[in-house]
């Protein structure tokens, strides 16, 4: 049985760190689930990691549903969290409810994540009333990259820090089950974690959050592009060496050998064909 929001509340109370990983396909989700990861986020970062876009804005609801379905089929124990893509909830509360319902009914997700603070309190409240667990994403919100002027650390001034605290309290009051903080100074993230009753998840927000999230392809070294400061590689599975070895083996005739081929006990008659 998959983990629930209640389980994560208990983990916060017991100071048992929550592990979340962003992943997008069946084999990745199965590996994470079997390893014991608490939550799998089907992030809109798939736009950049798998689909080759420059930002997260281009991925659609239809695409996100495909990835969510794949992850949900693999996850037996991990909580599956679906990321609501750009303009799937900003336009109206009605749209937010309709699209979140698709993630829950068709994608078999256990909850949804949306970016934004107090300005989305009404949306979070409506989703919570519909019994849809909501994780609110504050700090650096990639869907707002054009308005923010780039990917920058948030809450660096006293005024900006107070706004983040107010946002965190507002989304909790609106019914958010958890708050994800991205690119927030460690001490500020610690303060917010202490203030909130709901668990916090950090990405580039220091070690004092109730849990952490990284992208599967980043921390395993599968993604060889830009690496943010907050990404630590726990393995280096750079596929280049394997790809080059395959090319060389095919060109040299080494692969496939008999070990990787099928044969008949008596195949002399094949020469007689035609």
């Amino acid at each position: 049985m998959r983990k629930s929001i209640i389980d994560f509340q208990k983990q916060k109370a017991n100071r048992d760190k929550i592990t979340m990983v962003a992943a997008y396909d069946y084999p990745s989700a199965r590996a994470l689930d079997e390893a014991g990861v608490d939550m799998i986020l089907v992030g809109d970062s798939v736009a950049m990691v798998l689909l080759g876009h420059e930002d997260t804005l281009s991925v659609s609801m239809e695409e996100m549903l495909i990835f969510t379905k794949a992850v949900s089929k693999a996850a037996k124990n991990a909580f599956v969290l679906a990321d609501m893509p750009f303009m799937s909830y900003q336009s109206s509360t009605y749209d937010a409810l309709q699209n979140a319902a698709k993630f829950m009914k068709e994608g078999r997700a256990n909850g949804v994540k949306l970016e934004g603070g107090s300005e989305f309190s009404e949306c979070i409240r409506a989703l919570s009333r519909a019994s849809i667990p909501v994780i609110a994403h504050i700090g650096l919100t990639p869907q707002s990259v054009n308005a923010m002027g780039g990917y920058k650390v948030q809450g660096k001034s006293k005024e900006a820090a107070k706004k983040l605290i107010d946002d965190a309290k507002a989304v909790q009051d609106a019914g958010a089950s958890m708050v994800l903080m991205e690119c927030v100074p460690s001490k500020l993230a610690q303060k917010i974690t202490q203030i909130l009753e709901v668990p916090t998840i950090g990405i580039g927000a220091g070690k004092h959050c109730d849990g952490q999230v990284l992208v599967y392809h980043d921390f395993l070294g599968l993604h060889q592009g830009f690496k943010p400061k907050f990404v630590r590689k726990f393995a280096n599975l750079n596929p280049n060496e394997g790809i080059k070895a395959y090319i060389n083996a095919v060109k040299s005739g080494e692969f496939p050998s008999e070990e990787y081929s099928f044969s008949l006990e008596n195949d002399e008659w094949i020469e007689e064909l035609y």
Side-chain angles (χ1 to χ4, degrees), residues 220-256:
L220 290 181
L222 289 165
H223 181 58
Q224 299 300 312
F226 170 73
K227 184 174 79 71
K229 178 183 178 180
F230 54 74
V231 173
R232 173 183 167 186
K233 285 188 179 181
F234 289 84
N236 190 15
L237 305 182
N238 186 337
N240 289 348
E241 289 185 11
I243 294 169
K244 288 177 180 177
Y246 165 72
I247 292 171
N248 291 335
V250 170
K251 288 185 177 295
S252 69
E254 175 194 345
F255 178 83

Side-chain angles (χ1 to χ4, degrees), residues 78-95:
F79 185 101
V80 176
L81 180 64
D83 217 349
M84 299 196 69
F86 182 60
M87 293 310 295
S88 66
Y89 62 95
Q90 290 96 332
S91 53
S92 70
T93 299
Y94 176 83
D95 286 344

Side-chain angles (χ1 to χ4, degrees), residues 2 5 8 20-24 38-46 59-72 75 78-86 88-89 96 98-115 127 132-137 143 178 180 213:
R2 290 184 188 171
I5 291 298
F8 301 133
M20 180 193 291
V21 175
Y24 323 103
D38 294 316
M39 303 181 73
I40 301 175
L41 166 65
V42 189
D44 61 0
S45 51
V46 68
V59 69
S60 67
M61 266 298 301
E62 291 72 21
E63 290 168 326
M64 288 300 299
L65 276 171
I66 291 170
F67 293 116
T68 303
K69 289 176 183 178
V71 168
S72 293
F79 185 101
V80 176
L81 180 64
D83 217 349
M84 299 196 69
F86 182 60
S88 66
Y89 62 95
Q98 292 298 307
N99 288 319
K102 288 181 181 178
F103 277 127
M104 303 295 283
K105 293 174 68 176
E106 298 176 35
R108 304 306 299 167
N110 302 112
V112 299
K113 179 177 79 66
L114 57 81
E115 296 181 9
L127 292 171
I132 299 174
V134 183
I135 281 68
H137 181 159
Q143 291 178 15
M178 196 174 291
L180 187 150
V213 59

Side-chain angles (χ1 to χ4, degrees), residues 23-34:
Y24 323 103
D25 56 53
Y26 181 90
S28 300
R30 182 171 178 177
L32 291 167
D33 194 66
E34 290 177 353

Side-chain angles (χ1 to χ4, degrees), residues 46 56 120 155 217 258 272 274:
V46 68
T56 64
F120 289 102
H217 293 71
E258 289 188 11
E272 300 173 2
Y274 292 94

